[in-house]
């Protein structure tokens, strides 16, 4: 599938960082009294986004299958199953904006995610809500080191990449058809406080702090983009507040790419000890990544054997957002993991 995402969107008053925001001009607050933002999925992205939206003054409902986990201040937790239209409609009832941050285990994605999309699209169309979708870089496929922008063709050959591209085609087609207003925000690999199951998460920071093994995947001397989870949240929240950005893909604010080896050296400087680095050249189980995960992830391992560089200039220029500085990300993430490890003792 070789195509580029459509362009569009417009500027607003600039905010100086991801911790500030542009003025709220959402369709919901202009056209009716609703200001409920419903976040589907209570993983690191959904939970961080829910907290960001609450800090911006929105009413927020955070929905997942259990509905009984901790909630950021000002956020209401709810139980819901968005695998069916009925469940999705109940989950998003009354929403002005719905943020789709649902994900499933890698080995289930091609089977489950299209059904979730169908239910969520049906629900937002029925409720008259806007839809903000957290997206991945998978539709681009192998880029051979080309810098990824929103205009990069979608050339995925993996099953998950083709599936994600098909989902995104349908999201944008739904918007063009006027059935629902939709916008997509793509992120590079997550990192930051609260992020566990990521290539720069639970396989790196605990070992760095305790002297245990630290995982590196593929060629760690290639540039690789990492997106702070708080910048993911700020980007999605801003898209939720600005309907003039609808109908297209945006890259969420991401710090300039560094080689993974450089990132690991920055961590070494902060923990004041050399890392016990274990580089996995091919996809195989290690640390928090078991065989089931790695078998399902193998088709995406090209992300660690070619440069993965994502450019987020468009969203930065249009909405005045800025990525979190990588050094700040590492400082804050190490502090979060220190607290996590102390709590487990």
């Amino acid at each position: 599938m070789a195509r580029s995402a459509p362009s569009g969107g417009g500027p607003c008053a600039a905010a100086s960082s991801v911790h500030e925001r542009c003025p709220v001009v959402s369709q919901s607050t202009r056209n009716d009294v609703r200001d409920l933002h419903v976040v589907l999925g209570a993983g690191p992205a959904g939970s961080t986004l829910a907290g960001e939206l609450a800090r911006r003054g929105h009413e927020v409902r955070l929905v997942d299958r259990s509905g009984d986990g901790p909630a950021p201040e000002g956020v209401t937790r709810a139980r819901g199953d968005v695998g069916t239209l009925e469940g999705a409609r109940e989950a998003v009832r009354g929403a002005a904006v719905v943020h789709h941050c649902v994900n499933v285990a890698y080995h289930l994605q091609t089977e489950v995610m299209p059904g979730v999309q169908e239910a969520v699209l049906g629900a937002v169309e029925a409720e008259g809500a806007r839809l903000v979708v957290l997206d991945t870089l998978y539709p681009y496929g192998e880029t051979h080191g080309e810098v990824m922008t929103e205009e990069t063709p979608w050339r995925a050959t993996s099953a998950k990449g083709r599936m994600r591209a098909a989902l995104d085609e349908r999201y944008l087609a739904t918007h063009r058809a006027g059935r629902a207003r939709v916008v997509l925000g793509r992120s590079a690999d997550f990192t930051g406080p609260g992020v566990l199951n990521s290539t720069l998460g639970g396989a790196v920071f605990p070992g760095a702090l305790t002297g245990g093994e630290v995982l590196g995947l593929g060629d760690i001397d290639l540039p690789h983009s990492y997106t702070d989870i708080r910048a993911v949240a700020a980007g999605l929240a801003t898209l939720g507040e600005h309907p003039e950005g609808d109908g297209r893909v945006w890259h969420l604010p991401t710090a300039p790419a560094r080689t993974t080896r450089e990132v690991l050296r920055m961590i070494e400087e902060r923990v004041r000890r050399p890392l016990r680095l274990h580089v996995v050249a091919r996809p195989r189980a290690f640390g928090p990544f078991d065989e089931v995960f790695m078998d399902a992830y193998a088709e995406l391992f090209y992300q660690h054997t070619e440069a993965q560089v994502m450019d987020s200039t468009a969203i930065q220029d249009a909405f005045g957002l800025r990525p979190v500085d990588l050094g700040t990300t590492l400082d804050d993430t190490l502090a979060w993991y220190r607290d996590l490890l102390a709590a487990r003792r």
Side-chain angles (χ1 to χ4, degrees):
M1 180 177 297
R3 59 147 290 172
S4 297
S7 61
C12 70
S16 63
S17 77
V18 297
H19 302 294
E20 300 178 33
R21 65 181 178 93
C22 301
V24 177
V25 294
S26 70
Q27 183 184 39
S28 61
T29 54
R30 290 185 305 192
N31 295 347
D32 57 45
V33 297
R34 291 188 300 169
D35 189 41
L36 172 62
H37 286 240
V38 173
V39 180
L40 305 177
S47 296
T48 307
L49 171 58
E52 174 73 12
L53 289 165
R55 282 191 295 275
R56 294 181 179 213
H58 298 289
E59 180 185 358
V60 184
R61 180 192 304 151
L62 178 61
V63 180
D64 71 349
R65 281 179 171 270
S66 69
D68 60 1
E73 184 177 356
V75 174
T76 300
R77 286 296 300 264
R79 181 179 179 180
D81 180 2
V82 297
T84 68
L85 176 58
E86 295 77 13
R89 287 200 64 178
E90 181 62 30
V92 308
R93 197 172 306 280
V97 183
V98 174
H99 299 262
H100 179 4
C101 299
V102 176
N103 203 1
V104 298
Y106 268 81
H107 67 287
L108 299 175
Q109 287 190 0
T110 56
E111 176 185 349
V112 173
M113 292 302 288
V116 171
Q117 178 193 53
E118 182 176 1
V120 171
L121 279 177
V124 297
E125 182 178 2
E127 292 295 317
R130 291 177 56 237
L131 178 62
V132 181
V133 180
L134 173 58
D135 198 14
T136 73
L137 301 179
Y138 301 164
Y140 298 132
E142 296 182 46
T143 64
H144 309 292
E146 174 188 349
V147 175
M148 287 172 276
T149 73
E150 290 88 342
E151 302 302 322
T152 298
W154 301 3
R155 297 171 291 204
T157 57
S158 68
K160 294 177 189 63
R162 292 195 305 269
M163 178 269 293
R164 291 282 185 174
L167 296 185
D168 291 355
E169 289 276 11
R170 184 177 180 191
Y171 283 127
L172 296 172
T174 298
H175 178 88
R176 290 193 298 270
R179 291 175 49 204
R181 300 198 65 167
V182 185
V183 64
L184 289 77
R186 285 184 177 159
S187 172
D189 283 352
F190 292 164
T191 190
V195 176
L196 291 166
N197 296 321
S198 169
T199 57
L200 193 59
V204 172
F205 293 101
L209 289 166
T210 63
E213 284 191 311
V214 168
L215 175 65
L217 292 179
D219 185 347
I220 64 172
D221 291 307
L222 293 171
H224 198 99
S225 292
Y226 296 98
T227 308
D228 189 299
I229 199 70
R230 297 165 296 184
V232 170
L236 295 176
T238 298
L239 293 177
E241 294 173 339
H242 289 275
E244 69 269 28
D246 289 352
R248 60 162 288 175
V249 172
W250 296 90
H251 286 179
L252 300 172
T254 299
R258 308 281 288 271
T259 71
T260 299
R261 191 181 298 277
E262 288 179 284
V263 176
L264 296 175
R265 285 175 177 162
M266 293 172 70
I267 294 173
E268 282 184 329
E269 293 171 0
R270 285 160 169 77
V271 299
R272 299 181 181 179
R273 68 166 59 143
L275 301 183
R276 291 178 53 205
L277 181 61
H278 182 85
V279 177
V280 175
R282 296 180 303 278
R284 64 178 181 81
F286 184 90
F289 304 125
D290 61 18
E291 289 185 8
V292 173
F293 173 87
M294 275 302 192
D295 285 347
Y297 188 68
E299 65 177 358
L300 300 170
F301 202 76
Y302 66 83
Q303 296 177 110
H304 309 286
T305 58
E306 64 178 25
Q308 282 279 293
V309 181
M310 188 183 91
D311 179 273
S312 59
T313 302
I315 200 168
Q316 293 172 209
D317 290 348
F319 299 110
L321 295 172
R322 295 293 177 265
V324 180
D325 174 76
L326 181 58
T328 301
T329 296
L330 297 179
D331 289 338
D332 294 347
T333 307
L334 284 165
W336 185 85
Y337 270 95
R338 284 191 186 96
D339 291 343
L340 178 68
L341 293 172
R344 288 179 174 177
R345 292 192 188 114

Coordinates of all heavy atoms in Angstrom, one line a residue, residues 148-213:
M148 N 10.8 9.8 8.7 CA 9.3 9.6 8.5 C 8.6 10.9 8.9 O 8.8 11.5 10.0 CB 8.8 8.5 9.5 CG 9.2 7.1 9.0 SD 8.8 5.8 10.2 CE 10.2 5.9 11.3
T149 N 7.9 11.5 7.9 CA 7.0 12.6 8.1 C 5.6 12.1 7.8 O 5.4 11.0 7.4 CB 7.3 13.8 7.2 OG1 7.0 13.4 5.8 CG2 8.8 14.1 7.2
E150 N 4.6 13.0 8.0 CA 3.2 12.7 7.6 C 3.0 12.4 6.2 O 2.0 11.9 5.8 CB 2.3 13.8 8.1 CG 2.2 13.9 9.6 CD 3.2 14.7 10.3 OE1 4.2 15.0 9.7 OE2 3.0 15.2 11.5
E151 N 4.0 12.8 5.3 CA 3.9 12.6 3.9 C 4.6 11.3 3.4 O 4.5 11.0 2.2 CB 4.4 13.8 3.1 CG 3.8 15.1 3.5 CD 2.3 15.1 3.2 OE1 1.9 14.5 2.2 OE2 1.6 15.7 4.1
T152 N 5.2 10.6 4.3 CA 5.9 9.3 4.0 C 4.9 8.3 3.5 O 3.8 8.1 4.1 CB 6.6 8.8 5.2 OG1 7.6 9.7 5.6 CG2 7.3 7.4 4.8
P153 N 5.1 7.7 2.3 CA 4.2 6.7 1.8 C 4.0 5.5 2.8 O 4.9 5.2 3.5 CB 4.8 6.2 0.5 CG 5.7 7.3 0.1 CD 6.2 7.9 1.4
W154 N 2.8 4.9 2.7 CA 2.5 3.7 3.6 C 2.9 2.5 2.8 O 2.2 2.1 1.8 CB 1.1 3.7 3.9 CG 0.6 4.9 4.7 CD1 1.3 6.0 5.0 CD2 -0.7 5.2 5.2 NE1 0.6 6.9 5.7 CE2 -0.7 6.4 5.8 CE3 -1.9 4.4 5.2 CZ2 -1.8 7.0 6.4 CZ3 -3.0 5.0 5.8 CH2 -3.0 6.2 6.4
R155 N 4.0 1.8 3.2 CA 4.5 0.7 2.4 C 4.7 -0.6 3.2 O 5.5 -1.4 3.0 CB 5.8 1.1 1.7 CG 5.7 2.2 0.8 CD 7.1 2.7 0.3 NE 7.8 3.4 1.4 CZ 8.7 4.3 1.2 NH1 9.1 4.7 -0.1 NH2 9.3 4.9 2.2
A156 N 3.8 -0.7 4.3 CA 4.0 -1.9 5.2 C 3.8 -3.2 4.4 O 2.9 -3.3 3.5 CB 3.0 -1.8 6.3
T157 N 4.6 -4.2 4.8 CA 4.5 -5.5 4.3 C 4.2 -6.5 5.3 O 3.8 -7.6 5.0 CB 5.8 -5.9 3.5 OG1 6.9 -5.8 4.4 CG2 6.0 -5.0 2.3
S158 N 4.4 -6.2 6.6 CA 4.1 -7.1 7.7 C 2.5 -7.1 7.9 O 1.8 -6.2 7.5 CB 4.7 -6.6 9.0 OG 4.1 -5.4 9.4
A159 N 2.1 -8.2 8.5 CA 0.6 -8.4 8.7 C 0.1 -7.3 9.6 O -1.0 -6.7 9.4 CB 0.4 -9.7 9.4
K160 N 0.8 -6.9 10.7 CA 0.4 -5.9 11.6 C 0.5 -4.5 10.9 O -0.4 -3.7 11.1 CB 1.2 -5.9 12.9 CG 1.0 -7.2 13.7 CD 1.9 -7.2 14.9 CE 1.8 -8.5 15.6 NZ 2.4 -9.6 14.8
G161 N 1.5 -4.3 10.1 CA 1.6 -3.0 9.4 C 0.5 -2.8 8.4 O -0.1 -1.7 8.3
R162 N 0.2 -3.9 7.7 CA -0.9 -3.8 6.7 C -2.3 -3.6 7.4 O -3.1 -2.9 6.9 CB -1.0 -5.1 5.8 CG 0.2 -5.2 4.9 CD 0.0 -6.2 3.8 NE -0.4 -7.5 4.3 CZ 0.4 -8.5 4.6 NH1 1.7 -8.3 4.4 NH2 0.0 -9.6 5.1
M163 N -2.4 -4.3 8.5 CA -3.7 -4.2 9.3 C -3.8 -2.7 9.8 O -4.9 -2.1 9.7 CB -3.7 -5.1 10.5 CG -4.9 -5.1 11.4 SD -4.7 -3.9 12.8 CE -3.4 -4.7 13.7
R164 N -2.8 -2.2 10.4 CA -2.8 -0.8 10.9 C -3.1 0.2 9.7 O -3.9 1.1 9.9 CB -1.5 -0.4 11.6 CG -1.3 -1.1 12.9 CD -2.1 -0.5 14.0 NE -1.8 -1.1 15.3 CZ -2.3 -0.7 16.4 NH1 -3.1 0.3 16.5 NH2 -2.0 -1.3 17.5
A165 N -2.5 0.0 8.5 CA -2.7 0.8 7.4 C -4.2 0.8 7.0 O -4.8 1.8 6.6 CB -1.8 0.5 6.3
A166 N -4.7 -0.5 7.0 CA -6.2 -0.6 6.6 C -7.1 0.1 7.6 O -8.1 0.7 7.2 CB -6.5 -2.1 6.5
L167 N -6.8 0.0 8.9 CA -7.5 0.7 9.9 C -7.5 2.2 9.6 O -8.5 2.9 9.7 CB -7.0 0.4 11.3 CG -7.1 -1.1 11.8 CD1 -6.7 -1.1 13.2 CD2 -8.6 -1.6 11.7
D168 N -6.3 2.7 9.4 CA -6.1 4.1 9.2 C -6.9 4.6 7.9 O -7.4 5.7 7.9 CB -4.7 4.5 9.1 CG -4.0 4.3 10.5 OD1 -4.7 4.0 11.5 OD2 -2.8 4.5 10.6
E169 N -6.8 3.8 6.9 CA -7.6 4.2 5.7 C -9.0 4.3 6.0 O -9.7 5.2 5.5 CB -7.4 3.1 4.6 CG -6.0 3.0 4.0 CD -5.8 4.0 2.8 OE1 -6.7 4.9 2.7 OE2 -4.8 4.0 2.1
R170 N -9.5 3.4 6.8 CA -11.0 3.4 7.1 C -11.3 4.6 8.0 O -12.3 5.3 7.8 CB -11.4 2.1 7.8 CG -12.9 2.1 8.1 CD -13.4 0.8 8.7 NE -14.8 0.9 8.9 CZ -15.5 0.0 9.6 NH1 -14.9 -1.1 10.1 NH2 -16.8 0.1 9.7
Y171 N -10.4 4.9 9.0 CA -10.6 6.1 9.8 C -10.8 7.4 9.0 O -11.7 8.2 9.1 CB -9.5 6.3 10.8 CG -9.5 5.4 12.0 CD1 -8.3 4.6 12.3 CD2 -10.6 5.3 12.8 CE1 -8.3 3.8 13.4 CE2 -10.6 4.4 13.9 CZ -9.4 3.7 14.2 OH -9.4 2.8 15.3
L172 N -9.8 7.5 8.0 CA -9.8 8.7 7.2 C -11.0 8.8 6.2 O -11.5 9.8 5.9 CB -8.5 8.9 6.5 CG -7.3 9.0 7.4 CD1 -6.0 9.0 6.6 CD2 -7.3 10.3 8.2
A173 N -11.3 7.6 5.7 CA -12.5 7.5 4.8 C -13.8 7.9 5.5 O -14.7 8.5 5.0 CB -12.6 6.1 4.2
T174 N -13.9 7.4 6.8 CA -15.1 7.8 7.6 C -15.2 9.3 7.8 O -16.3 9.9 7.7 CB -15.0 7.1 9.0 OG1 -15.0 5.7 8.8 CG2 -16.1 7.5 9.9
H175 N -14.0 9.9 8.0 CA -14.0 11.4 8.2 C -14.4 12.0 6.8 O -15.3 12.9 6.8 CB -12.6 11.9 8.6 CG -12.5 13.3 8.7 ND1 -12.9 14.0 9.9 CD2 -12.2 14.3 7.8 CE1 -12.7 15.3 9.7 NE2 -12.3 15.5 8.4
R176 N -13.8 11.6 5.7 CA -14.1 12.2 4.4 C -15.6 12.0 4.1 O -16.2 12.9 3.4 CB -13.2 11.6 3.3 CG -11.8 12.0 3.4 CD -11.0 11.6 2.1 NE -11.1 10.2 1.9 CZ -10.2 9.3 2.3 NH1 -9.1 9.7 3.1 NH2 -10.3 8.0 2.1
A177 N -16.2 10.9 4.5 CA -17.6 10.7 4.2 C -18.5 11.5 5.1 O -19.8 11.5 4.9 CB -17.9 9.2 4.3
G178 N -18.0 12.2 6.1 CA -18.8 13.0 7.0 C -19.6 12.2 8.0 O -20.5 12.7 8.7
R179 N -19.2 10.9 8.2 CA -19.9 10.1 9.2 C -19.4 10.4 10.6 O -20.2 10.3 11.6 CB -19.6 8.6 8.9 CG -20.3 8.1 7.7 CD -19.9 6.7 7.4 NE -20.1 5.8 8.6 CZ -19.4 4.7 8.8 NH1 -18.5 4.3 7.9 NH2 -19.6 4.0 9.9
A180 N -18.2 10.8 10.8 CA -17.6 11.2 12.1 C -16.4 12.0 11.9 O -15.7 11.8 10.9 CB -17.3 9.9 12.9
R181 N -16.1 12.9 12.8 CA -14.8 13.6 12.7 C -13.7 12.8 13.4 O -13.8 12.5 14.6 CB -15.0 15.0 13.3 CG -16.1 15.8 12.6 CD -16.0 17.3 13.0 NE -14.7 17.9 12.4 CZ -14.5 19.2 12.3 NH1 -15.4 20.0 12.7 NH2 -13.3 19.6 11.8
V182 N -12.6 12.6 12.6 CA -11.6 11.7 13.1 C -10.2 12.4 12.9 O -10.0 13.0 11.8 CB -11.6 10.4 12.4 CG1 -10.6 9.4 13.0 CG2 -13.0 9.7 12.5
V183 N -9.3 12.2 13.8 CA -7.9 12.6 13.7 C -7.0 11.5 14.3 O -7.4 10.9 15.2 CB -7.7 14.0 14.3 CG1 -7.9 13.9 15.8 CG2 -6.3 14.5 14.0
L184 N -5.8 11.3 13.7 CA -4.9 10.3 14.2 C -3.6 10.9 14.6 O -3.1 11.8 13.9 CB -4.6 9.3 13.0 CG -5.7 8.3 12.6 CD1 -6.7 9.0 11.7 CD2 -5.1 7.1 11.9
G185 N -3.1 10.5 15.8 CA -1.8 10.9 16.3 C -0.8 9.7 16.4 O -1.1 8.8 17.1
R186 N 0.2 9.8 15.6 CA 1.2 8.7 15.6 C 2.4 9.0 16.5 O 2.9 10.1 16.6 CB 1.7 8.4 14.2 CG 0.7 7.7 13.3 CD 1.3 7.4 11.9 NE 0.2 6.7 11.2 CZ 0.2 6.6 9.8 NH1 1.2 7.2 9.1 NH2 -0.7 5.9 9.2
S187 N 2.8 7.9 17.2 CA 3.9 8.0 18.1 C 5.0 7.0 17.7 O 4.7 5.9 17.2 CB 3.4 7.6 19.6 OG 4.5 7.5 20.5
A188 N 6.2 7.4 18.1 CA 7.4 6.4 18.0 C 7.3 5.6 19.3 O 6.3 5.6 20.0 CB 8.7 7.2 17.9
D189 N 8.3 4.8 19.5 CA 8.4 3.9 20.7 C 8.2 4.8 22.0 O 8.8 5.8 22.2 CB 9.7 3.2 20.8 CG 9.8 2.0 19.9 OD1 8.8 1.7 19.2 OD2 10.9 1.5 19.8
F190 N 7.3 4.3 22.8 CA 7.0 5.0 24.1 C 8.2 4.9 25.0 O 8.9 3.9 25.1 CB 5.8 4.4 24.8 CG 4.5 4.5 24.2 CD1 3.4 3.7 24.6 CD2 4.2 5.5 23.2 CE1 2.2 3.8 24.1 CE2 3.0 5.6 22.7 CZ 1.9 4.8 23.1
T191 N 8.4 5.9 25.8 CA 9.2 5.9 27.0 C 8.7 6.9 28.0 O 7.8 7.7 27.6 CB 10.7 6.1 26.7 OG1 11.5 5.8 27.8 CG2 11.0 7.5 26.2
G192 N 9.2 6.9 29.2 CA 8.8 7.9 30.2 C 8.2 7.2 31.4 O 8.1 6.0 31.5
P193 N 7.8 8.0 32.4 CA 7.2 7.5 33.6 C 6.0 6.7 33.4 O 5.1 7.1 32.6 CB 6.9 8.8 34.4 CG 7.8 9.8 33.9 CD 8.0 9.5 32.4
G194 N 5.9 5.5 34.0 CA 4.8 4.6 33.8 C 4.9 3.6 32.7 O 4.0 2.7 32.5
V195 N 5.9 3.8 31.8 CA 6.0 2.9 30.6 C 6.8 1.7 31.0 O 8.0 1.8 31.4 CB 6.6 3.6 29.4 CG1 6.9 2.7 28.3 CG2 5.8 4.8 29.0
L196 N 6.2 0.5 30.9 CA 6.9 -0.7 31.3 C 7.2 -1.6 30.0 O 8.4 -1.9 29.8 CB 6.0 -1.6 32.2 CG 5.8 -1.0 33.6 CD1 4.6 -1.7 34.3 CD2 7.1 -1.2 34.4
N197 N 6.2 -1.9 29.2 CA 6.5 -2.8 28.1 C 6.8 -2.1 26.8 O 6.1 -2.0 25.9 CB 5.2 -3.7 27.9 CG 4.9 -4.6 29.1 OD1 5.8 -5.1 29.7 ND2 3.7 -4.7 29.4
S198 N 8.1 -1.6 26.8 CA 8.6 -0.8 25.7 C 10.1 -1.2 25.6 O 10.7 -1.6 26.6 CB 8.4 0.7 25.9 OG 9.1 1.4 25.0
T199 N 10.6 -0.9 24.4 CA 12.0 -1.2 24.2 C 12.9 -0.3 25.1 O 14.1 -0.6 25.4 CB 12.5 -1.1 22.8 OG1 12.2 0.3 22.3 CG2 11.7 -2.1 21.9
L200 N 12.4 0.8 25.5 CA 13.1 1.7 26.5 C 12.2 1.8 27.7 O 11.8 2.9 28.1 CB 13.4 3.1 25.8 CG 14.4 4.0 26.6 CD1 15.7 3.3 26.7 CD2 14.6 5.3 25.9
G201 N 12.0 0.7 28.3 CA 11.1 0.7 29.5 C 11.6 -0.4 30.5 O 12.7 -0.3 31.0
G202 N 10.8 -1.4 30.8 CA 11.1 -2.3 31.8 C 12.3 -3.2 31.6 O 12.8 -3.8 32.5
A203 N 12.7 -3.3 30.3 CA 13.9 -4.1 30.0 C 15.2 -3.3 30.2 O 16.3 -3.9 30.0 CB 13.8 -4.7 28.6
V204 N 15.1 -2.0 30.5 CA 16.3 -1.1 30.6 C 16.4 -0.5 32.0 O 17.5 -0.7 32.6 CB 16.2 0.0 29.5 CG1 17.3 1.0 29.7 CG2 16.3 -0.6 28.1
F205 N 15.4 0.2 32.4 CA 15.6 1.0 33.6 C 15.8 0.2 34.9 O 16.7 0.6 35.7 CB 14.5 2.0 33.8 CG 14.5 3.0 32.7 CD1 13.6 2.9 31.6 CD2 15.3 4.1 32.7 CE1 13.6 3.9 30.6 CE2 15.4 5.1 31.7 CZ 14.5 4.9 30.6
P206 N 15.1 -0.9 35.2 CA 15.4 -1.6 36.4 C 16.8 -2.2 36.5 O 17.5 -2.1 37.5 CB 14.3 -2.7 36.4 CG 13.2 -2.2 35.6 CD 13.9 -1.4 34.5
G207 N 17.3 -2.7 35.3 CA 18.6 -3.2 35.3 C 19.7 -2.1 35.5 O 20.7 -2.3 36.2
A208 N 19.4 -0.9 34.9 CA 20.3 0.2 35.0 C 20.4 0.6 36.5 O 21.5 1.0 37.0 CB 19.8 1.4 34.2
L209 N 19.3 0.6 37.2 CA 19.3 1.0 38.6 C 19.8 0.0 39.6 O 20.3 0.3 40.7 CB 17.9 1.4 39.0 CG 17.3 2.7 38.4 CD1 15.8 2.8 38.6 CD2 18.1 3.9 39.0
T210 N 19.7 -1.3 39.2 CA 20.1 -2.4 40.2 C 21.4 -3.1 39.8 O 21.8 -3.9 40.6 CB 19.0 -3.4 40.3 OG1 18.8 -4.0 39.0 CG2 17.7 -2.8 40.7
G211 N 21.9 -2.8 38.7 CA 23.1 -3.5 38.2 C 22.8 -4.8 37.4 O 23.7 -5.6 37.1
G212 N 21.5 -5.0 37.1 CA 21.1 -6.2 36.3 C 21.3 -5.9 34.9 O 21.9 -4.9 34.4
E213 N 20.9 -6.9 34.1 CA 21.1 -6.8 32.6 C 20.2 -5.8 32.0 O 19.0 -5.6 32.4 CB 20.9 -8.2 31.9 CG 22.1 -9.1 32.1 CD 22.0 -10.3 31.2 OE1 20.9 -10.9 31.2 OE2 23.0 -10.7 30.6

